[in-house]
mmCIF file of all heavy atoms in Angstrom:
data_model
loop_
_atom_site.group_PDB
_atom_site.id
_atom_site.type_symbol
_atom_site.label_atom_id
_atom_site.label_comp_id
_atom_site.label_asym_id
_atom_site.label_seq_id
_atom_site.Cartn_x
_atom_site.Cartn_y
_atom_site.Cartn_z
ATOM 1 N N ARG A 1198 -54.270 8.699 -12.065
ATOM 2 C CA ARG A 1198 -53.082 8.556 -12.902
ATOM 3 C C ARG A 1198 -53.150 9.366 -14.211
ATOM 4 O O ARG A 1198 -52.364 9.137 -15.122
ATOM 5 C CB ARG A 1198 -52.878 7.075 -13.241
ATOM 6 C CG ARG A 1198 -52.696 6.171 -12.030
ATOM 7 C CD ARG A 1198 -51.409 6.471 -11.270
ATOM 8 N NE ARG A 1198 -50.246 6.283 -12.102
ATOM 9 C CZ ARG A 1198 -49.655 5.100 -12.329
ATOM 10 N NH1 ARG A 1198 -50.147 4.005 -11.774
ATOM 11 N NH2 ARG A 1198 -48.590 5.013 -13.085
ATOM 12 N N LEU A 1199 -54.082 10.290 -14.270
ATOM 13 C CA LEU A 1199 -54.288 11.065 -15.496
ATOM 14 C C LEU A 1199 -53.035 11.844 -15.908
ATOM 15 O O LEU A 1199 -52.688 11.900 -17.095
ATOM 16 C CB LEU A 1199 -55.473 12.022 -15.301
ATOM 17 C CG LEU A 1199 -56.323 12.365 -16.511
ATOM 18 C CD1 LEU A 1199 -56.681 11.140 -17.333
ATOM 19 C CD2 LEU A 1199 -57.585 13.113 -16.080
ATOM 20 N N GLU A 1200 -52.351 12.419 -14.936
ATOM 21 C CA GLU A 1200 -51.119 13.159 -15.265
ATOM 22 C C GLU A 1200 -50.077 12.225 -15.887
ATOM 23 O O GLU A 1200 -49.396 12.596 -16.848
ATOM 24 C CB GLU A 1200 -50.553 13.831 -14.018
ATOM 25 C CG GLU A 1200 -51.336 15.047 -13.566
ATOM 26 C CD GLU A 1200 -50.682 15.737 -12.381
ATOM 27 O OE1 GLU A 1200 -49.648 16.390 -12.586
ATOM 28 O OE2 GLU A 1200 -51.203 15.601 -11.253
ATOM 29 N N ASP A 1201 -49.978 11.006 -15.353
ATOM 30 C CA ASP A 1201 -49.029 10.030 -15.915
ATOM 31 C C ASP A 1201 -49.391 9.697 -17.354
ATOM 32 O O ASP A 1201 -48.517 9.522 -18.208
ATOM 33 C CB ASP A 1201 -49.022 8.745 -15.075
ATOM 34 C CG ASP A 1201 -48.458 8.966 -13.683
ATOM 35 O OD1 ASP A 1201 -47.649 9.894 -13.525
ATOM 36 O OD2 ASP A 1201 -48.831 8.218 -12.765
ATOM 37 N N CYS A 1202 -50.698 9.596 -17.629
ATOM 38 C CA CYS A 1202 -51.147 9.316 -19.002
ATOM 39 C C CYS A 1202 -50.683 10.421 -19.947
ATOM 40 O O CYS A 1202 -50.186 10.149 -21.042
ATOM 41 C CB CYS A 1202 -52.676 9.208 -19.049
ATOM 42 S SG CYS A 1202 -53.357 7.725 -18.272
ATOM 43 N N PHE A 1203 -50.847 11.660 -19.522
ATOM 44 C CA PHE A 1203 -50.455 12.776 -20.383
ATOM 45 C C PHE A 1203 -48.935 12.874 -20.533
ATOM 46 O O PHE A 1203 -48.439 13.259 -21.595
ATOM 47 C CB PHE A 1203 -51.029 14.096 -19.860
ATOM 48 C CG PHE A 1203 -52.448 14.327 -20.307
ATOM 49 C CD1 PHE A 1203 -53.521 14.114 -19.441
ATOM 50 C CD2 PHE A 1203 -52.725 14.747 -21.601
ATOM 51 C CE1 PHE A 1203 -54.826 14.320 -19.858
ATOM 52 C CE2 PHE A 1203 -54.035 14.953 -22.033
ATOM 53 C CZ PHE A 1203 -55.083 14.740 -21.159
ATOM 54 N N ARG A 1204 -48.192 12.493 -19.499
ATOM 55 C CA ARG A 1204 -46.721 12.525 -19.621
ATOM 56 C C ARG A 1204 -46.254 11.476 -20.638
ATOM 57 O O ARG A 1204 -45.319 11.700 -21.407
ATOM 58 C CB ARG A 1204 -46.063 12.314 -18.256
ATOM 59 C CG ARG A 1204 -46.320 13.478 -17.316
ATOM 60 C CD ARG A 1204 -45.461 13.502 -16.075
ATOM 61 N NE ARG A 1204 -46.010 14.455 -15.112
ATOM 62 C CZ ARG A 1204 -45.907 15.775 -15.192
ATOM 63 N NH1 ARG A 1204 -45.259 16.319 -16.213
ATOM 64 N NH2 ARG A 1204 -46.445 16.559 -14.280
ATOM 65 N N LEU A 1205 -46.909 10.332 -20.635
ATOM 66 C CA LEU A 1205 -46.588 9.293 -21.614
ATOM 67 C C LEU A 1205 -46.960 9.766 -23.025
ATOM 68 O O LEU A 1205 -46.199 9.582 -23.983
ATOM 69 C CB LEU A 1205 -47.338 8.000 -21.266
ATOM 70 C CG LEU A 1205 -47.072 6.781 -22.146
ATOM 71 C CD1 LEU A 1205 -45.592 6.409 -22.137
ATOM 72 C CD2 LEU A 1205 -47.916 5.596 -21.668
ATOM 73 N N TYR A 1206 -48.110 10.393 -23.139
ATOM 74 C CA TYR A 1206 -48.592 10.945 -24.419
ATOM 75 C C TYR A 1206 -47.576 11.938 -25.001
ATOM 76 O O TYR A 1206 -47.320 11.953 -26.201
ATOM 77 C CB TYR A 1206 -49.943 11.596 -24.160
ATOM 78 C CG TYR A 1206 -50.471 12.540 -25.209
ATOM 79 C CD1 TYR A 1206 -50.987 12.077 -26.406
ATOM 80 C CD2 TYR A 1206 -50.484 13.924 -24.969
ATOM 81 C CE1 TYR A 1206 -51.508 12.949 -27.354
ATOM 82 C CE2 TYR A 1206 -50.998 14.797 -25.899
ATOM 83 C CZ TYR A 1206 -51.507 14.315 -27.095
ATOM 84 O OH TYR A 1206 -52.022 15.183 -28.026
ATOM 85 N N GLU A 1207 -46.977 12.746 -24.129
ATOM 86 C CA GLU A 1207 -45.987 13.738 -24.581
ATOM 87 C C GLU A 1207 -44.753 13.084 -25.200
ATOM 88 O O GLU A 1207 -44.054 13.698 -26.002
ATOM 89 C CB GLU A 1207 -45.548 14.626 -23.415
ATOM 90 C CG GLU A 1207 -46.577 15.662 -23.004
ATOM 91 C CD GLU A 1207 -46.013 16.667 -22.002
ATOM 92 O OE1 GLU A 1207 -45.413 16.226 -21.006
ATOM 93 O OE2 GLU A 1207 -46.184 17.875 -22.210
ATOM 94 N N GLU A 1208 -44.496 11.821 -24.819
ATOM 95 C CA GLU A 1208 -43.316 11.118 -25.341
ATOM 96 C C GLU A 1208 -43.552 10.517 -26.727
ATOM 97 O O GLU A 1208 -42.605 10.087 -27.383
ATOM 98 C CB GLU A 1208 -42.908 10.002 -24.369
ATOM 99 C CG GLU A 1208 -42.405 10.495 -23.020
ATOM 100 C CD GLU A 1208 -42.156 9.347 -22.055
ATOM 101 O OE1 GLU A 1208 -42.118 8.173 -22.520
ATOM 102 O OE2 GLU A 1208 -42.016 9.608 -20.847
ATOM 103 N N TYR A 1209 -44.796 10.465 -27.166
ATOM 104 C CA TYR A 1209 -45.103 9.829 -28.447
ATOM 105 C C TYR A 1209 -44.664 10.698 -29.625
ATOM 106 O O TYR A 1209 -44.465 11.910 -29.481
ATOM 107 C CB TYR A 1209 -46.606 9.546 -28.553
ATOM 108 C CG TYR A 1209 -47.068 8.348 -27.746
ATOM 109 C CD1 TYR A 1209 -48.414 8.004 -27.683
ATOM 110 C CD2 TYR A 1209 -46.171 7.547 -27.036
ATOM 111 C CE1 TYR A 1209 -48.844 6.902 -26.955
ATOM 112 C CE2 TYR A 1209 -46.601 6.461 -26.315
ATOM 113 C CZ TYR A 1209 -47.924 6.147 -26.267
ATOM 114 O OH TYR A 1209 -48.345 5.057 -25.547
ATOM 115 N N SER A 1210 -44.544 10.084 -30.778
ATOM 116 C CA SER A 1210 -44.165 10.818 -31.989
ATOM 117 C C SER A 1210 -45.250 11.828 -32.348
ATOM 118 O O SER A 1210 -46.405 11.685 -31.940
ATOM 119 C CB SER A 1210 -43.979 9.841 -33.155
ATOM 120 O OG SER A 1210 -45.240 9.306 -33.542
ATOM 121 N N ALA A 1211 -44.879 12.819 -33.145
ATOM 122 C CA ALA A 1211 -45.842 13.846 -33.565
ATOM 123 C C ALA A 1211 -47.030 13.203 -34.294
ATOM 124 O O ALA A 1211 -48.183 13.593 -34.092
ATOM 125 C CB ALA A 1211 -45.159 14.879 -34.458
ATOM 126 N N GLY A 1212 -46.760 12.183 -35.132
ATOM 127 C CA GLY A 1212 -47.824 11.508 -35.877
ATOM 128 C C GLY A 1212 -48.808 10.810 -34.962
ATOM 129 O O GLY A 1212 -50.027 10.906 -35.149
ATOM 130 N N ASP A 1213 -48.273 10.103 -33.952
ATOM 131 C CA ASP A 1213 -49.160 9.400 -33.016
ATOM 132 C C ASP A 1213 -49.976 10.383 -32.196
ATOM 133 O O ASP A 1213 -51.165 10.172 -31.945
ATOM 134 C CB ASP A 1213 -48.349 8.484 -32.089
ATOM 135 C CG ASP A 1213 -47.928 7.193 -32.777
ATOM 136 O OD1 ASP A 1213 -48.468 6.907 -33.870
ATOM 137 O OD2 ASP A 1213 -47.068 6.484 -32.234
ATOM 138 N N ARG A 1214 -49.356 11.488 -31.776
ATOM 139 C CA ARG A 1214 -50.102 12.501 -31.017
ATOM 140 C C ARG A 1214 -51.223 13.104 -31.868
ATOM 141 O O ARG A 1214 -52.334 13.304 -31.393
ATOM 142 C CB ARG A 1214 -49.164 13.607 -30.521
ATOM 143 C CG ARG A 1214 -48.303 13.197 -29.324
ATOM 144 C CD ARG A 1214 -47.769 14.386 -28.554
ATOM 145 N NE ARG A 1214 -47.119 15.363 -29.418
ATOM 146 C CZ ARG A 1214 -45.852 15.319 -29.818
ATOM 147 N NH1 ARG A 1214 -45.078 14.313 -29.412
ATOM 148 N NH2 ARG A 1214 -45.343 16.250 -30.596
ATOM 149 N N GLU A 1215 -50.937 13.346 -33.134
ATOM 150 C CA GLU A 1215 -51.967 13.900 -34.032
ATOM 151 C C GLU A 1215 -53.151 12.951 -34.179
ATOM 152 O O GLU A 1215 -54.306 13.374 -34.186
ATOM 153 C CB GLU A 1215 -51.370 14.189 -35.416
ATOM 154 C CG GLU A 1215 -50.622 15.500 -35.504
ATOM 155 C CD GLU A 1215 -49.940 15.680 -36.852
ATOM 156 O OE1 GLU A 1215 -50.419 15.100 -37.843
ATOM 157 O OE2 GLU A 1215 -48.932 16.392 -36.897
ATOM 158 N N ARG A 1216 -52.841 11.651 -34.310
ATOM 159 C CA ARG A 1216 -53.928 10.677 -34.453
ATOM 160 C C ARG A 1216 -54.771 10.611 -33.175
ATOM 161 O O ARG A 1216 -56.003 10.541 -33.232
ATOM 162 C CB ARG A 1216 -53.357 9.296 -34.816
ATOM 163 C CG ARG A 1216 -52.927 9.192 -36.281
ATOM 164 C CD ARG A 1216 -52.372 7.823 -36.619
ATOM 165 N NE ARG A 1216 -50.970 7.682 -36.245
ATOM 166 C CZ ARG A 1216 -49.937 8.061 -37.007
ATOM 167 N NH1 ARG A 1216 -50.167 8.607 -38.187
ATOM 168 N NH2 ARG A 1216 -48.697 7.895 -36.607
ATOM 169 N N ILE A 1217 -54.113 10.650 -32.013
ATOM 170 C CA ILE A 1217 -54.841 10.637 -30.737
ATOM 171 C C ILE A 1217 -55.627 11.943 -30.567
ATOM 172 O O ILE A 1217 -56.769 11.934 -30.094
ATOM 173 C CB ILE A 1217 -53.877 10.397 -29.556
ATOM 174 C CG1 ILE A 1217 -53.266 8.982 -29.648
ATOM 175 C CG2 ILE A 1217 -54.603 10.571 -28.214
ATOM 176 C CD1 ILE A 1217 -52.157 8.699 -28.655
ATOM 177 N N GLN A 1218 -55.043 13.049 -30.979
ATOM 178 C CA GLN A 1218 -55.744 14.346 -30.908
ATOM 179 C C GLN A 1218 -57.035 14.302 -31.722
ATOM 180 O O GLN A 1218 -58.083 14.777 -31.274
ATOM 181 C CB GLN A 1218 -54.841 15.472 -31.445
ATOM 182 C CG GLN A 1218 -53.766 15.917 -30.463
ATOM 183 C CD GLN A 1218 -52.702 16.798 -31.121
ATOM 184 O OE1 GLN A 1218 -52.733 17.055 -32.321
ATOM 185 N NE2 GLN A 1218 -51.752 17.249 -30.327
ATOM 186 N N TRP A 1219 -56.963 13.722 -32.920
ATOM 187 C CA TRP A 1219 -58.154 13.621 -33.767
ATOM 188 C C TRP A 1219 -59.236 12.813 -33.064
ATOM 189 O O TRP A 1219 -60.399 13.212 -33.001
ATOM 190 C CB TRP A 1219 -57.792 12.977 -35.112
ATOM 191 C CG TRP A 1219 -59.001 12.814 -35.995
ATOM 192 C CD1 TRP A 1219 -59.537 13.736 -36.843
ATOM 193 C CD2 TRP A 1219 -59.873 11.666 -36.061
ATOM 194 N NE1 TRP A 1219 -60.679 13.239 -37.439
ATOM 195 C CE2 TRP A 1219 -60.913 11.976 -36.981
ATOM 196 C CE3 TRP A 1219 -59.871 10.411 -35.450
ATOM 197 C CZ2 TRP A 1219 -61.926 11.073 -37.308
ATOM 198 C CZ3 TRP A 1219 -60.895 9.522 -35.759
ATOM 199 C CH2 TRP A 1219 -61.905 9.849 -36.678
ATOM 200 N N LEU A 1220 -58.846 11.655 -32.515
ATOM 201 C CA LEU A 1220 -59.804 10.797 -31.831
ATOM 202 C C LEU A 1220 -60.464 11.533 -30.669
ATOM 203 O O LEU A 1220 -61.682 11.475 -30.493
ATOM 204 C CB LEU A 1220 -59.114 9.531 -31.312
ATOM 205 C CG LEU A 1220 -60.004 8.565 -30.526
ATOM 206 C CD1 LEU A 1220 -61.026 7.899 -31.449
ATOM 207 C CD2 LEU A 1220 -59.179 7.520 -29.797
ATOM 208 N N MET A 1221 -59.646 12.248 -29.885
ATOM 209 C CA MET A 1221 -60.161 12.900 -28.689
ATOM 210 C C MET A 1221 -60.893 14.201 -28.992
ATOM 211 O O MET A 1221 -61.468 14.816 -28.097
ATOM 212 C CB MET A 1221 -59.027 13.122 -27.677
ATOM 213 C CG MET A 1221 -58.449 11.828 -27.138
ATOM 214 S SD MET A 1221 -59.708 10.646 -26.540
ATOM 215 C CE MET A 1221 -60.454 11.595 -25.220
ATOM 216 N N GLU A 1222 -60.881 14.606 -30.245
ATOM 217 C CA GLU A 1222 -61.732 15.705 -30.687
ATOM 218 C C GLU A 1222 -63.119 15.173 -31.047
ATOM 219 O O GLU A 1222 -64.149 15.784 -30.743
ATOM 220 C CB GLU A 1222 -61.103 16.406 -31.899
ATOM 221 C CG GLU A 1222 -61.948 17.516 -32.513
ATOM 222 C CD GLU A 1222 -62.301 18.635 -31.542
ATOM 223 O OE1 GLU A 1222 -61.484 18.950 -30.652
ATOM 224 O OE2 GLU A 1222 -63.419 19.178 -31.658
ATOM 225 N N VAL A 1223 -63.157 13.989 -31.678
ATOM 226 C CA VAL A 1223 -64.428 13.445 -32.191
ATOM 227 C C VAL A 1223 -65.184 12.635 -31.129
ATOM 228 O O VAL A 1223 -66.391 12.820 -30.930
ATOM 229 C CB VAL A 1223 -64.174 12.567 -33.444
ATOM 230 C CG1 VAL A 1223 -65.493 11.994 -33.972
ATOM 231 C CG2 VAL A 1223 -63.477 13.374 -34.535
ATOM 232 N N LEU A 1224 -64.489 11.736 -30.448
ATOM 233 C CA LEU A 1224 -65.141 10.811 -29.504
ATOM 234 C C LEU A 1224 -65.975 11.514 -28.425
ATOM 235 O O LEU A 1224 -67.106 11.081 -28.149
ATOM 236 C CB LEU A 1224 -64.073 9.918 -28.864
ATOM 237 C CG LEU A 1224 -64.518 8.661 -28.132
ATOM 238 C CD1 LEU A 1224 -65.128 7.646 -29.098
ATOM 239 C CD2 LEU A 1224 -63.338 8.032 -27.399
ATOM 240 N N PRO A 1225 -65.476 12.603 -27.815
ATOM 241 C CA PRO A 1225 -66.292 13.260 -26.780
ATOM 242 C C PRO A 1225 -67.590 13.879 -27.302
ATOM 243 O O PRO A 1225 -68.473 14.217 -26.507
ATOM 244 C CB PRO A 1225 -65.344 14.353 -26.232
ATOM 245 C CG PRO A 1225 -63.965 13.836 -26.522
ATOM 246 C CD PRO A 1225 -64.095 13.150 -27.849
ATOM 247 N N GLU A 1226 -67.726 14.007 -28.630
ATOM 248 C CA GLU A 1226 -69.001 14.496 -29.191
ATOM 249 C C GLU A 1226 -70.155 13.581 -28.772
ATOM 250 O O GLU A 1226 -71.256 14.039 -28.491
ATOM 251 C CB GLU A 1226 -68.921 14.542 -30.731
ATOM 252 C CG GLU A 1226 -68.013 15.613 -31.290
ATOM 253 C CD GLU A 1226 -68.673 16.986 -31.353
ATOM 254 O OE1 GLU A 1226 -69.908 17.052 -31.177
ATOM 255 O OE2 GLU A 1226 -67.945 17.967 -31.541
ATOM 256 N N GLY A 1227 -69.892 12.266 -28.761
ATOM 257 C CA GLY A 1227 -70.925 11.320 -28.346
ATOM 258 C C GLY A 1227 -71.255 11.458 -26.874
ATOM 259 O O GLY A 1227 -72.424 11.343 -26.468
ATOM 260 N N MET A 1228 -70.220 11.721 -26.058
ATOM 261 C CA MET A 1228 -70.446 11.888 -24.619
ATOM 262 C C MET A 1228 -71.223 13.182 -24.353
ATOM 263 O O MET A 1228 -72.115 13.227 -23.494
ATOM 264 C CB MET A 1228 -69.099 11.898 -23.896
ATOM 265 C CG MET A 1228 -68.335 10.595 -24.071
ATOM 266 S SD MET A 1228 -66.582 10.766 -23.693
ATOM 267 C CE MET A 1228 -65.945 9.241 -24.412
ATOM 268 N N GLU A 1229 -70.886 14.215 -25.131
ATOM 269 C CA GLU A 1229 -71.607 15.484 -25.015
ATOM 270 C C GLU A 1229 -73.063 15.302 -25.454
ATOM 271 O O GLU A 1229 -73.989 15.852 -24.849
ATOM 272 C CB GLU A 1229 -70.919 16.549 -25.880
ATOM 273 C CG GLU A 1229 -71.406 17.946 -25.608
ATOM 274 C CD GLU A 1229 -70.545 18.998 -26.281
ATOM 275 O OE1 GLU A 1229 -69.302 18.883 -26.260
ATOM 276 O OE2 GLU A 1229 -71.134 19.932 -26.843
ATOM 277 N N MET A 1230 -73.254 14.484 -26.497
ATOM 278 C CA MET A 1230 -74.607 14.193 -26.984
ATOM 279 C C MET A 1230 -75.417 13.490 -25.892
ATOM 280 O O MET A 1230 -76.590 13.801 -25.675
ATOM 281 C CB MET A 1230 -74.495 13.314 -28.237
ATOM 282 C CG MET A 1230 -75.738 13.243 -29.088
ATOM 283 S SD MET A 1230 -75.340 12.413 -30.666
ATOM 284 C CE MET A 1230 -77.002 12.027 -31.225
ATOM 285 N N ASP A 1231 -74.784 12.556 -25.173
ATOM 286 C CA ASP A 1231 -75.462 11.878 -24.066
ATOM 287 C C ASP A 1231 -75.907 12.882 -22.998
ATOM 288 O O ASP A 1231 -77.015 12.798 -22.464
ATOM 289 C CB ASP A 1231 -74.531 10.849 -23.417
ATOM 290 C CG ASP A 1231 -74.653 9.461 -24.038
ATOM 291 O OD1 ASP A 1231 -75.764 9.124 -24.499
ATOM 292 O OD2 ASP A 1231 -73.663 8.729 -24.059
ATOM 293 N N LEU A 1232 -75.028 13.829 -22.680
ATOM 294 C CA LEU A 1232 -75.315 14.778 -21.607
ATOM 295 C C LEU A 1232 -76.384 15.803 -21.996
ATOM 296 O O LEU A 1232 -77.152 16.251 -21.151
ATOM 297 C CB LEU A 1232 -74.029 15.509 -21.200
ATOM 298 C CG LEU A 1232 -73.050 14.706 -20.345
ATOM 299 C CD1 LEU A 1232 -71.720 15.438 -20.210
ATOM 300 C CD2 LEU A 1232 -73.632 14.427 -18.962
ATOM 301 N N THR A 1233 -76.409 16.195 -23.264
ATOM 302 C CA THR A 1233 -77.338 17.242 -23.686
ATOM 303 C C THR A 1233 -78.645 16.677 -24.245
ATOM 304 O O THR A 1233 -79.703 17.266 -24.077
ATOM 305 C CB THR A 1233 -76.683 18.165 -24.736
ATOM 306 O OG1 THR A 1233 -76.210 17.367 -25.836
ATOM 307 C CG2 THR A 1233 -75.505 18.922 -24.136
ATOM 308 N N ARG A 1234 -78.552 15.521 -24.904
ATOM 309 C CA ARG A 1234 -79.739 14.926 -25.550
ATOM 310 C C ARG A 1234 -80.624 14.211 -24.534
ATOM 311 O O ARG A 1234 -81.833 14.076 -24.732
ATOM 312 C CB ARG A 1234 -79.269 13.938 -26.630
ATOM 313 C CG ARG A 1234 -80.353 13.454 -27.583
ATOM 314 C CD ARG A 1234 -80.831 14.567 -28.483
ATOM 315 N NE ARG A 1234 -81.894 14.121 -29.367
ATOM 316 C CZ ARG A 1234 -83.151 13.914 -29.008
ATOM 317 N NH1 ARG A 1234 -83.516 14.102 -27.750
ATOM 318 N NH2 ARG A 1234 -84.066 13.547 -29.899
ATOM 319 N N PHE A 1235 -80.005 13.719 -23.455
ATOM 320 C CA PHE A 1235 -80.753 12.975 -22.428
ATOM 321 C C PHE A 1235 -80.627 13.704 -21.089
ATOM 322 O O PHE A 1235 -79.730 13.400 -20.302
ATOM 323 C CB PHE A 1235 -80.212 11.551 -22.305
ATOM 324 C CG PHE A 1235 -80.252 10.764 -23.590
ATOM 325 C CD1 PHE A 1235 -79.098 10.555 -24.335
ATOM 326 C CD2 PHE A 1235 -81.448 10.247 -24.060
ATOM 327 C CE1 PHE A 1235 -79.129 9.834 -25.519
ATOM 328 C CE2 PHE A 1235 -81.493 9.522 -25.252
ATOM 329 C CZ PHE A 1235 -80.336 9.320 -25.978
#
């Protein structure tokens, strides 16, 4: 359902999209750290 998630995301206000964009820029750093550090 990933495509549906992104279609819903496109409907959000510019402010909400910016806040989600910020989160999804930072949060995967920890996942990348898991993959590279371990």
